[in-house]
Amino acid sequence: MSAHSQVTQAATKANETLEDYTLRFAPRSYRQWSCSAVAGSALGGIAYLADFAIGANIGISHGTLNALLGIAYASFVIFITGLPTCYYAARYNIDLDLITRGSGFGYYGSILTNVIFGSFTFIFFALEGSIMAQGLELGLGIPLWMGYALSTFLVLPLVIYGMKALAKFQAWTTPMWLVLMVLPMGYLVLANPDSIPTFLAYTGEGTGALNFGAALMAAGVCLPLMCQNAEQIDYLRFMPPRTDANRKAWWWSVILGGPGWVILGGLKQITGLFIAVYMIAKFGTSVMPVANEPVHQFLTVYQEIMPMWLAMTLAVVLVVVSQIKINVTNAYCGSLAWTNSYTRITKRYPGRLIFVVLNLIAAFMLMEMNMFAFLNSILGFYSNCTIAWVTTVAVDIAINKYVLKISPKTPEYRRSMLYDFNPVGFVTVIVTVGVSIAIFFGLFGKAIQPYSALTAFVIPIVMTPVMAIITQGKYYLRRADDGIDLPMFDADGNPSGETLFCHVCQQEYERPDMIAVLQENDAGTGGKQRSLYSCSLCLSTDKTGKLLLPAT
């Protein structure tokens, strides 16, 4: 590595407050938040209003009963696939990309899943930004195009400063968001008890009869939110070490801040449908074009209990606060995903902030293309990719690691330790996505078209362990030993806080992020050899391959 590159790496590592440990393990010295603070920050990121639009859309399309069944099924799938991945992130302090590398995909193979996740972040940024622009247009008369621009670039100052700024922002805004959202909903139900039977009897654009295929199609629109677990993980990786003293609080924080978000998410989808049905029943079918827009939904509710001017003000405030809360998370997590992919492909680390801007530009372009009008189609298609990836990783952790014991239980993400590609996860995702998308577009007939999302869930459950058995776990680890004598974990099983010196960037870093790369003669000890170490970022950007230990 050149002297210039070493200086660049050192400067990057010295400013990890901005970079937020983008491609690496989050060190113990940085993780100073309490369990509840991390969980609160993670939950702050689910303040988005897209759930209200999703619930309304699937209910209007398939009726209340089918929508409720679809929401329940999707929530169950999201929770069970999120639990093992969120646990691994909190326990080992790494994001889902790093987990994915050692859970069936390999060092370069996980770039495929990074593309899936990165796409999720700007798709949902665009969706949430569109909702915010709708609110600004309705309340302040701001043209949609200008609202798109405002909703895009307002988040930039917060995202620049990473977890430290995001934790404070989420903590400050969550109480106001809860009051604005929860209290009016309770009033609507209590003041209009007849609205509940009307809600349950709503048939939507179909017959309204309970139909498994319709319920699965509804679930397919909800299931792209499975990627939200990856965003929760980007917060959970900063959890403090788990000890006997904080064990209960640690677990509750992981569950609530991790897959537990889907409980609130499902309730929001149901609430969005409930308000949409209430609007249609009260004002007639003329409101259907806007019944799926959260700003109109909340304006309708607020008008029931306060003057119009105040109702409009609070509706706009709620929309703006909610959308900024989620879109700082979308922009932040997207920057992590794209930076990871770019660095592995090019062996250059340009910094996270470049990809913050690129992610925002991609989202802005989608908004200008009016993606909100095609919400069901976009999410239904995209769910096949999301389900395939997250389910494959979850099955590798739960089955291949803990049941079959083929996949190494301790997650590995360092370049020297991994094969470039592992067919267990890589092939499984490609096959699953190919089959499920073909079903989605009706290539196998319209009778099974509604089952594309179910297919994307079932194939990895079967194929991931089968692939591990066929390959006998051969492609999980390139090396069994990283060449360092210090233990990787402390007495409680947490990643060690011991530090080692990286001879490339001339910085100290904690043991889990380091690897031995070569040896040199030490004149001070009579010519005996000593080990030299490299951090994972320097290893990732090594273009020569000289830092890579030989395979064993």
Side-chain angles (χ1 to χ4, degrees), residues 362-373:
F364 179 70
M365 292 173 63
L366 283 179
M367 283 186 263
E368 291 291 351
M369 293 165 62
N370 192 25
M371 69 156 287
F372 193 85

Side-chain angles (χ1 to χ4, degrees), residues 1-14 16 23-25 101 107-108 343-344 346-349 413-416 500-509 513-515 517 532-548:
M1 181 175 289
S2 68
H4 172 74
S5 298
Q6 292 182 26
V7 171
T8 301
Q9 296 281 37
T12 298
K13 294 185 66 177
E16 288 286 12
L23 290 92
R24 57 172 80 233
F25 156 82
R101 293 183 194 181
Y107 184 74
Y108 290 109
T343 301
R344 261 175 290 165
T346 65
K347 305 295 188 299
R348 292 185 63 252
Y349 183 66
Y413 64 92
R414 294 166 297 176
R415 182 180 171 192
S416 265
L500 294 168
F501 184 76
C502 176
H503 86 286
V504 181
C505 61
Q506 306 292 296
Q507 300 285 319
E508 285 197 345
Y509 212 75
D513 197 63
M514 303 295 285
I515 193 166
V517 289
L532 297 180
Y533 307 106
S534 169
C535 69
S536 62
L537 177 55
C538 290
L539 198 64
S540 296
T541 54
D542 173 32
K543 295 182 178 181
T544 66
K546 293 180 179 179
L547 299 181
L548 295 180

Side-chain angles (χ1 to χ4, degrees), residues 249-329:
W250 191 93
W251 270 110
W252 275 111
S253 296
V254 170
I255 293 172
L256 293 177
W261 74 267
V262 78
I263 298 172
L264 181 57
L267 291 174
K268 285 159 59 186
Q269 290 166 10
I270 294 170
T271 302
L273 174 55
F274 182 86
I275 300 174
V277 173
Y278 176 79
M279 291 172 64
I280 294 168
K282 184 173 182 177
F283 302 109
T285 56
S286 62
V287 302
M288 286 186 68
V290 296
N292 66 340
E293 295 183 7
V295 65
H296 285 279
Q297 293 177 351
F298 280 94
L299 180 60
T300 298
V301 177
Y302 289 151
Q303 284 180 282
E304 297 278 336
I305 55 179
M306 61 188 69
M308 178 62 182
W309 67 269
L310 183 57
M312 179 68 75
T313 301
L314 292 182
V316 172
V317 169
L318 174 63
V319 168
V320 171
V321 170
S322 298
Q323 303 322 91
I324 291 178
K325 281 172 74 65
I326 179 56
N327 270 350
V328 293
T329 298

Side-chain angles (χ1 to χ4, degrees), residues 520-530:
E520 70 173 7
N521 293 327
D522 187 352
T525 58
K528 292 183 179 179
Q529 287 191 323
R530 65 170 184 172

Side-chain angles (χ1 to χ4, degrees), residues 145-182:
W145 69 267
M146 188 179 295
Y148 294 152
L150 287 173
S151 65
T152 300
F153 296 106
L154 276 176
V155 306
L156 189 58
L158 288 167
V159 179
I160 285 175
Y161 289 98
M163 178 63 178
K164 287 187 175 180
L166 296 183
K168 291 179 181 178
F169 175 76
Q170 301 293 13
W172 291 342
T173 55
T174 294
M176 177 177 64
W177 171 77
L178 285 172
V179 170
L180 289 175
M181 180 173 291
V182 175

